[in-house]
Amino acid sequence: EVQLVESGGGLVQPGRSLKLSCVASGFTFSNYGMNWIRQAPGKGLEWVAYISSGSSYIYYAETVKGRFTISRDNAKNTLYLQMTSLRSEDTALYYCARHINYVDYWGQGVMVTVSS
Amino acid sequence: DIQMTQSPASLSASLGETVTIECRASEDIYNGLAWYQQKPGKSPQLLIYNANSLHTGVPSRFSGSGSGTQYSLKINSLQSEDVASYFCQQYYDYPPYTFGAGTKLELK
């Protein structure tokens, strides 16, 4: 069974940093590209970042480019999202999601709240 | 970037009814479209990919169709467990992946 378990969220002040993690199980993590996708409270879905299986290709949404860094450790079956210079508009539920062009599996999400 | 316009924003229907949700892309996406269902308080779940292929385990009352810039999700014989928000997503041209704004489906 495919499982994606996010962690690392919480309340953080504007301008500060936070690092999210996503541990994958139930499939060969190193064979798949991965995404971070977020959802602000009561809003729709916004793609944030993508990383290919071997980390050769990395893409970001314009809204986070230069502030967020996606990375992965295939030996640990773990996906990361380093978030810096956080803004109130980054407040959202962040999902880790497996990529096969579309998303076929999503984690349960981790909440990030940016507020003073 | 490809924009996805989804309609309606909300929908109220009765049990057993047939429901259709539409998504229009700002340019041809060559069937690179997925539909997701998100139940309240849960993460999204894949329903349809490649515009018309049913994901494993999804009930056959769900179907997808369309081509070019116009796509639709149909739910036949609406069940109570279908109450959810539905999102379309294009993946023909990325980055960025883009989602429709969503359709909230409620029971009448």
Side-chain angles (χ1 to χ4, degrees):
Chain A
E1 179 194 4
V2 172
Q3 286 202 317
L4 300 167
V5 180
E6 302 95 335
S7 61
L11 174 63
V12 61
Q13 293 179 327
R16 305 297 291 262
S17 299
L18 203 61
K19 187 172 185 176
L20 305 182
S21 299
C22 169
V23 177
S25 61
F27 66 102
T28 305
F29 181 69
S30 59
N31 286 351
Y32 289 84
M34 298 293 295
N35 294 286
W36 286 101
I37 296 168
R38 67 186 181 183
Q39 187 170 34
K43 301 295 184 183
L45 299 166
E46 179 189 16
W47 170 77
V48 172
Y50 163 84
I51 186 168
S52 62
S53 57
S55 304
S56 297
Y57 299 95
I58 289 176
Y59 307 123
Y60 297 99
E62 287 297 324
T63 52
V64 307
K65 196 175 289 185
R67 300 188 299 122
F68 289 12
T69 302
I70 188 172
S71 63
R72 63 191 296 161
D73 184 336
N74 286 343
K76 294 183 178 179
N77 290 344
T78 304
L79 176 72
Y80 302 101
L81 186 68
Q82 175 70 55
M83 303 183 292
T84 65
S85 302
L86 282 161
R87 306 166 180 169
S88 58
E89 54 264 38
D90 296 318
T91 293
L93 190 61
Y94 284 74
Y95 293 105
C96 162
R98 193 175 82 165
H99 172 94
I100 47 171
N101 287 331
Y102 47 92
V103 171
D104 61 347
Y105 290 99
W106 303 65
Q108 85 286 352
V110 60
M111 189 67 201
V112 173
T113 303
V114 184
S115 174
S116 54
Chain B
D1 297 354
I2 296 177
Q3 309 302 316
M4 303 300 295
T5 303
Q6 188 173 338
S7 61
S10 63
L11 182 55
S12 183
S14 302
L15 291 174
E17 201 173 319
T18 294
V19 167
T20 301
I21 298 168
E22 309 274 348
C23 236
R24 176 171 51 85
S26 59
E27 57 187 85
D28 196 328
I29 57 172
Y30 299 93
N31 282 16
L33 184 101
W35 290 97
Y36 303 94
Q37 176 192 63
Q38 186 176 33
K39 296 183 179 180
K42 300 293 186 183
S43 53
Q45 302 289 312
L46 176 67
L47 294 175
I48 302 283
Y49 61 95
N50 294 347
N52 55 27
S53 297
L54 205 62
H55 183 54
T56 305
V58 174
S60 59
R61 63 179 181 276
F62 291 91
S63 63
S65 63
S67 63
T69 62
Q70 301 275 6
Y71 298 87
S72 61
L73 171 71
K74 187 163 78 170
I75 310 172
N76 286 316
S77 188
L78 188 69
Q79 305 293 304
S80 58
E81 60 263 33
D82 300 334
V83 169
S85 292
Y86 293 85
F87 298 90
C88 63
Q89 179 213 5
Q90 74 81 22
Y91 52 90
Y92 168 70
D93 183 32
Y94 65 91
Y97 295 101
T98 44
F99 292 88
T103 296
K104 188 173 183 180
L105 174 59
E106 298 175 328
L107 282 179
K108 192 180 292 183

